[in-house]
Amino acid sequence: MAPPLLLFLLLLLPALAAGHQHPSSYGSSALSEWRPAKASYYAADPEDAIGGACGFGDLGKHGYGMATVGLSTALFERGAACGGCYEVKCVEDLKYCLPGTSIVVTATNFCAPNYGLPADAGGHCNPPNHHFLLPIQSFEKIALWKAGIMPIQYRRVKCLREGGVRFSVNGRHFFFTVLISNVGGAGDVRSVKIKGTELGWLSMGRNWGQVWHINCDMRGQPLSFELSSSDGKTLTSFNVVPKDWEYGKTYTGKQFLL
């Protein structure tokens, strides 16, 4: 029979292990496995919540706030990753990590490479690095700001959105654009089709980020959209934009089912 002290330690070890496991509340929403990367932060002020390489404009207005991230070249996919959600947690750094914490952020920007520096010596967002540039408000949810550049793990998760997908229309005469935001599920949009009452389904091109365009006069007719995301799901919103639509206005359609 094992000595009393050894027996006590054997019984205690499983409890200690369980005490350091912090199961994520997003586990059932995971779209990919945990992967290694690095993260850094920038000191964000209110003006930083407007703009970005994905075209979302005012991030507060569109519901993203500061729970956002700029992705390095290897992750950004020339804008195809825009709108996707990532769960991020700090790892390996016992001095600066906040144990048991994670944050879900939306891809809204691009972390530009610096080809004047090597990828392993200052060029943090250079290919092939997987790097997350976070507002300090998000960074401090998982680590102390003194950490600077730190190792993390990330995974794609489903985006939980309130309300439907938003279609912000713009353009002029024969040039029509739509910004697609507040997308649930996979969060990204990989292809878009548009249909008016006078035309059949037409494919739109990615202008930049999640701004899509078509060279066609769409005025004077209700508009329907068909969206496809990276998880293979398709969403069709019929006549989401009414016949009397106006440039600069936003219209809300259906939402992807989780």
Side-chain angles (χ1 to χ4, degrees), residues 41 96 98 136 139-140 142-150:
Y41 67 85
Y96 296 116
L98 300 180
I136 191 170
F139 187 92
E140 289 187 317
I142 57 174
L144 302 179
W145 67 269
K146 293 181 180 180
I149 298 173
M150 66 177 187

Side-chain angles (χ1 to χ4, degrees), residues 35-53:
R35 298 171 182 171
K38 289 188 177 180
S40 57
Y41 67 85
Y42 63 95
D45 60 39
E47 291 186 0
D48 291 319
I50 299 177

Side-chain angles (χ1 to χ4, degrees), residues 94-137:
L94 298 179
K95 185 176 181 181
Y96 296 116
C97 287
L98 300 180
T101 61
S102 69
I103 185 172
V104 173
V105 291
T106 301
T108 63
N109 212 341
F110 175 52
C111 183
N114 181 356
Y115 293 117
L117 297 173
D120 58 352
H124 310 302
C125 290
N126 294 3
N129 293 349
H130 285 199
H131 193 92
F132 287 67
L133 180 61
L134 299 165
I136 191 170
Q137 292 92 331

Side-chain angles (χ1 to χ4, degrees), residues 77-82 165 167 178-181 183 186-195 201-207 209-214 224-237 256:
E77 298 183 68
R78 297 186 177 183
C82 288
V165 175
F167 301 86
V178 59
L179 165 65
I180 301 172
S181 62
V183 180
D188 53 14
V189 177
R190 297 304 174 104
S191 67
V192 179
K193 291 182 180 180
I194 186 173
K195 180 183 182 300
W201 287 106
L202 301 172
S203 295
M204 301 188 75
R206 188 186 302 276
N207 192 280
Q210 287 298 9
V211 179
W212 297 77
H213 76 277
I214 189 170
S224 304
F225 292 93
E226 181 183 281
L227 314 180
S228 296
S229 55
S230 60
D231 60 358
K233 293 185 178 180
T234 299
L235 174 72
T236 305
S237 287
F256 281 95

Side-chain angles (χ1 to χ4, degrees), residues 14-28 34 87-91 94 97-103 141-142 153 155:
L16 288 173
H20 285 81
Q21 291 174 355
H22 301 272
S24 168
S25 60
Y26 295 91
S28 62
W34 289 106
E87 184 178 9
V88 179
K89 63 181 180 180
C90 181
V91 294
L94 298 179
C97 287
L98 300 180
T101 61
S102 69
I103 185 172
K141 300 289 186 181
I142 57 174
Q153 288 185 342
R155 63 180 177 179

